[in-house]
Amino acid sequence: MSESKARELLARLRDAALDDLMHTSDEELRAEAHEDDEDLSRLAADFRCRISKRLGVTRPQRSTVDAKQTEAFRLSLLATAAKHLADAPNDSVTPEEMREIASEALLKLDDSCKSRYCSYVTFDWQSPRSTFGHDARLALAELLLSMYINESEEFDDLFPGSRAERVRALLRDAIHDPQISPFVSISLGTLVSTLCTLALGKASGFEFDPHQNAAQRNQLLRQIRVRKEWRAFRNLIAHQPELVTDSVDPSRAVSGLASMQAALARYRPDTIVAVAGGGEIVANFLCAQIGVDSRNYFVASRKHGEYVLDRELLAGSARKRMVIIDDISRTGSTLGSICNQTLGGIRSVELKTLALVCSGAATSYLRDSFLVLPLVAQSPNVSVPWDNKGSYRATRTNHVFGAERRSPLKVPKAFYERIYEGVST
Amino acid sequence: MQDGDGVSGPPSGFATADEVLEAIEGLTEIKKLRLMKAARICLDGSEYADPRELVDQAVSTPYFAARGEGGRRWPKGTDFVAFLVMTIRGLASDSRGSVVRRQSISTRVPTGDDGEERDLLDTIQHATPSIEDSELEKQRIEERRLDEEAKLAQVEQLCANDPQIGWIVKGIKEGKTAREVQRISGMSKLEYDTAHRRWRRKSEELFPARRKS
């Protein structure tokens, strides 16, 4: 083949490949990128850096920003994202898609900042005026916060001197957001507890080193927590229940169980009554932990519309403090029925109830009888992370909840002890 | 107004520098990937050492052109990415052409009435090309020829390994339409499309000396 023919053939082959490229959809290209392990974010970031250098387009100073142009850009950005959300029928937009739209919008904004075509500083993050819906705002907040946490030098450049303002704005937004606010109260509770611990420590004369590592910080917190001032403070706040939505995750379940154990250890009951089913799993575990004799352990199960114990309480025995244990109290009626009807005739005994998680209704109903309220659920259909038809079993290294059923919850004993240590000090 | 004339007012239909910037801002990750892939396909035989150089040159061309600094302007009615891909193709082709032209520029010019050709360089004292330059030029031509042969050998190898790609390449060589290739090869439309896509993806990998990104 002559040289020119070879060249011409190569040109035609290239054109055919280009033609195919132009007929390949974005989705197909994305799939190819995934297959080829192409780092799209890096490719885009490199592109931005190279092009902004090459074009020599510099970010305008704050005073010279064309406010109208920037505002128009911002509004078009928000409008585009909002339109995407509004155009799609509600049932066809999955949370992942919303998240993707929101993240695209933010990346676009981020792109324009890094490319120095538009100033970020005028971006208005006041959600009440924003055209974004809750989900998009939540996704944006998550993205912004994760970016803030994983900030790079480039990101540092984006927020000249305004990080604190940005975070304050995000917090304000979060507190006013009905979806986020329950989590805010939980997180703020933890934060307040830690801050108060540190403040009490400082007041008690502990030395704080700003360069201390995590182990040193934990050591300091332990030292503070053994002081009587902290115990008094803890008594004020420790019994505040933690809020959950409609399911209890394993880590909250462990914290809740530890709180229950700590409360039982302080109360020292002489009799335990477990509600048959899920209550038995929790009660078996707690009895094993605090060492309740099997003679003082009873099970209440429902028969002919009312709860009866598995055997009779021995007449004349010196029972003074009795605790009825369940895993979930959805309405409070089960615990109430056992308190008032099954055991209601025993006047000399002090009756307390204990459940890992209670609904708001159950909390109101049994308000005075709870020994402790570890978790309060927003939904009465709340669930725990084990099958309540299973049982509790201890292995050499694990506590197993929902044993003999599918997907039991295994909690390493060492881990539980560490959590309990934190709760009981 | 001619292309590239001044900065006072672009002809209607061509984007301004601000509009080009806005279009560049609007390039999503996937669009940037598409440009990069186009550059990988077009890079072969050009003077560009890296697809990124080709992409950067293509993207900056309409911006500088809109500012009156010469080059291809972006007609606003055209899709920006399609315009950029065609610019990438054009830049690579020009670059390839310039190599070829440089290789084939003759220093022999007709002189006098008899039409006899004499070497222009012979008339310029002290300007005789050095033996090293001539040798380097010959070497470059030879390298290019070998490169093209190697590339075609790779294509042949690819066709031998994947007969369906073989039909695609044969169709391109002989200028056949997609339907004709499907008919003579017995491929369904789906098989043809899939094979065509495989060819495109392989063509991005045919230049191992070049960096992928």
Side-chain angles (χ1 to χ4, degrees):
Chain A
M1 190 182 289
S2 75
E3 242 181 84
S4 61
K5 274 193 177 173
R7 202 164 297 144
E8 192 194 322
L9 174 59
L10 285 172
R12 271 154 58 187
L13 290 171
R14 274 192 298 270
D15 284 351
L18 269 187
D19 187 52
D20 183 82
L21 177 67
M22 294 311 286
H23 284 93
T24 306
S25 70
D26 284 358
E27 289 71 28
E28 286 169 316
L29 277 187
R30 198 178 285 280
E32 281 180 18
H34 185 67
E35 270 175 40
D36 297 344
D37 279 335
E38 295 244 30
D39 186 343
L40 286 181
S41 313
R42 191 174 165 192
L43 184 143
D46 285 350
F47 177 94
R48 281 194 304 268
C49 289
R50 293 197 318 268
I51 295 298
S52 72
K53 265 187 202 165
R54 193 177 183 104
L55 301 188
V57 182
T58 54
R59 178 170 48 184
Q61 294 301 306
R62 201 168 184 177
S63 57
T64 60
V65 169
D66 182 341
K68 278 186 184 171
Q69 196 179 347
T70 309
E71 181 66 5
F73 171 70
R74 184 184 74 78
L75 289 176
S76 73
L77 180 80
L78 294 174
T80 308
K83 190 170 182 302
H84 275 301
L85 292 173
D87 284 353
N90 284 338
D91 56 354
S92 70
V93 180
T94 64
E96 289 75 24
E97 284 168 339
M98 284 192 178
R99 209 164 280 259
E100 199 175 330
I101 291 166
S103 66
E104 266 187 21
L106 191 76
L107 286 173
K108 193 173 172 185
L109 193 64
D110 182 38
D111 266 8
S112 42
C113 300
K114 286 182 179 166
S115 310
R116 297 165 189 246
Y117 299 142
C118 170
S119 173
Y120 200 102
V121 288
T122 54
F123 178 61
D124 182 7
W125 178 254
Q126 297 302 306
S127 65
R129 296 201 300 274
S130 160
T131 33
F132 282 127
H134 282 151
D135 286 343
R137 268 169 31 215
L138 180 60
L140 282 170
E142 279 178 5
L143 265 166
L144 266 178
L145 280 173
S146 63
M147 284 170 71
Y148 183 81
I149 290 163
N150 302 313
E151 66 194 40
S152 62
E153 284 180 17
E154 278 182 347
F155 195 64
D156 189 31
D157 190 38
L158 280 179
F159 293 117
S162 64
R163 283 190 214 165
E165 288 165 31
R166 195 71 47 197
V167 170
R168 266 202 297 277
L170 282 170
L171 279 176
R172 198 167 49 234
D173 190 20
I175 288 163
H176 288 107
D177 189 305
Q179 291 182 347
I180 305 177
S181 53
F183 300 99
V184 173
S185 59
I186 293 166
S187 304
L188 286 181
T190 311
L191 180 66
V192 165
S193 165
T194 305
L195 289 178
C196 287
T197 303
L198 293 171
L200 284 168
K202 183 112 184 172
S204 307
F206 283 93
E207 290 295 324
F208 286 79
D209 175 5
H211 304 297
Q212 65 189 176
N213 59 29
Q216 289 167 328
R217 201 163 48 244
N218 287 340
Q219 166 84 15
L220 179 67
L221 285 171
R222 274 199 294 275
Q223 285 175 340
I224 297 169
R225 281 172 180 154
V226 297
R227 298 180 70 83
K228 67 177 181 187
E229 292 89 349
W230 189 84
R231 282 170 181 267
F233 158 72
R234 181 188 166 283
N235 283 339
L236 286 175
I237 64 161
H239 298 309
Q240 292 296 314
E242 200 172 339
L243 286 173
V244 294
T245 49
D246 55 0
S247 65
V248 177
D249 59 46
S251 62
R252 286 215 174 83
V254 170
S255 302
L257 289 167
S259 293
M260 291 167 89
Q261 184 186 333
L264 283 175
R266 280 193 301 275
Y267 186 64
R268 291 200 296 264
D270 49 42
T271 306
I272 295 289
V273 175
V275 178
E280 282 182 276
I281 297 176
V282 174
N284 277 330
F285 164 72
L286 292 171
C287 288
Q289 290 298 107
I290 62 170
V292 173
D293 192 300
S294 61
R295 285 173 298 180
N296 297 323
Y297 176 82
F298 297 82
V299 176
S301 36
R302 196 180 174 97
K303 280 182 186 165
H304 310 297
E306 59 183 42
Y307 283 89
V308 292
L309 299 184
D310 56 344
R311 60 186 195 279
E312 284 195 12
L313 287 166
L314 292 176
S317 63
R319 296 187 189 278
K320 290 182 180 169
R321 288 185 295 276
M322 206 179 275
V323 177
I324 308 157
I325 297 176
D326 205 351
D327 57 346
I328 304 171
S329 181
R330 293 197 166 88
T331 60
S333 60
T334 301
L335 290 173
S337 171
I338 296 170
C339 273
N340 300 329
Q341 292 163 20
T342 314
L343 305 171
I346 311 172
R347 290 188 179 180
S348 59
V349 174
E350 184 180 63
L351 285 173
K352 288 286 181 188
T353 57
L354 190 55
L356 176 65
V357 57
C358 301
S359 69
T363 310
S364 305
Y365 184 50
L366 297 165
R367 190 185 315 168
D368 298 329
S369 73
F370 280 116
L371 192 62
V372 70
L373 259 178
L375 304 168
V376 172
Q378 289 180 312
S379 163
N381 299 317
V382 64
S383 61
V384 288
W386 55 75
D387 186 337
N388 65 8
K389 291 187 176 63
S391 61
Y392 163 74
R393 185 159 52 84
T395 65
R396 193 168 60 82
T397 52
N398 290 324
H399 297 295
V400 185
F401 299 89
E404 287 97 40
R405 301 292 293 182
R406 287 179 66 185
S407 309
L409 175 68
K410 291 179 183 171
V411 180
K413 286 181 173 175
F415 172 71
Y416 178 79
E417 287 308 317
R418 212 161 55 236
I419 300 296
Y420 178 69
E421 188 190 344
V423 169
S424 62
T425 49
Chain B
M1 188 182 286
Q2 294 298 307
D3 254 7
D5 277 356
V7 289
S8 53
S12 60
F14 285 113
T16 62
D18 283 345
E19 285 168 335
V20 173
L21 280 186
E22 203 178 317
I24 294 172
E25 283 170 19
L27 290 173
T28 59
E29 282 180 351
I30 288 296
K31 284 176 180 166
K32 288 169 187 167
L33 176 68
R34 198 181 287 276
L35 295 178
M36 188 61 80
K37 280 176 176 271
R40 283 176 200 152
I41 292 168
C42 295
L43 193 68
D44 172 50
S46 75
E47 289 177 303
Y48 294 92
D50 189 298
R52 286 176 294 195
E53 285 177 23
L54 195 45
V55 169
D56 294 356
Q57 181 66 36
V59 171
S60 52
T61 293
Y63 175 72
F64 289 121
R67 289 176 47 170
E69 293 172 33
R72 296 181 67 183
R73 308 190 79 162
W74 172 37
K76 278 196 287 185
T78 313
D79 176 71
F80 189 54
V81 173
F83 168 79
L84 289 178
V85 169
M86 285 301 106
T87 306
I88 287 171
R89 181 181 178 276
L91 286 169
S93 175
D94 289 350
S95 167
R96 238 174 264 121
S98 74
V99 174
V100 174
R101 271 198 303 278
R102 199 175 56 231
Q103 287 160 2
S104 60
I105 285 173
S106 173
T107 54
R108 295 188 73 80
V109 291
T111 55
D113 296 331
D114 58 358
E116 189 193 345
E117 281 191 346
R118 296 174 63 197
D119 199 318
L120 178 65
L121 294 172
D122 288 345
T123 65
I124 306 168
Q125 287 187 349
H126 312 298
T128 310
S130 72
I131 293 168
E132 288 86 351
D133 282 351
S134 312
E135 285 305 309
L136 280 173
E137 197 63 32
K138 278 182 194 168
Q139 205 176 319
R140 272 199 288 268
I141 293 170
E142 184 59 12
E143 274 174 10
R144 183 178 164 81
R145 193 183 61 77
L146 290 174
D147 192 39
E148 283 171 352
E149 276 179 12
K151 174 78 192 306
L152 285 174
Q154 280 179 294
V155 173
E156 292 300 325
Q157 184 63 45
L158 192 60
C159 296
N161 293 341
D162 187 335
Q164 286 187 329
I165 288 185
W167 282 113
I168 300 287
V169 171
K170 186 177 164 62
I172 296 167
K173 271 184 192 171
E174 296 173 5
K176 293 191 186 309
T177 63
R179 197 161 289 177
E180 283 171 331
V181 175
Q182 284 173 47
R183 187 171 50 76
I184 57 174
S185 65
M187 282 194 278
S188 68
K189 186 176 181 310
L190 180 66
E191 283 171 330
Y192 175 86
D193 288 343
T194 314
H196 208 283
R197 178 106 343 136
R198 280 206 304 284
W199 154 247
R200 192 257 299 162
R201 295 193 66 184
K202 290 286 178 190
S203 71
E204 291 174 38
E205 299 166 5
L206 282 177
F207 318 107
R210 302 279 163 81
R211 278 187 289 168
K212 193 171 182 183
S213 61

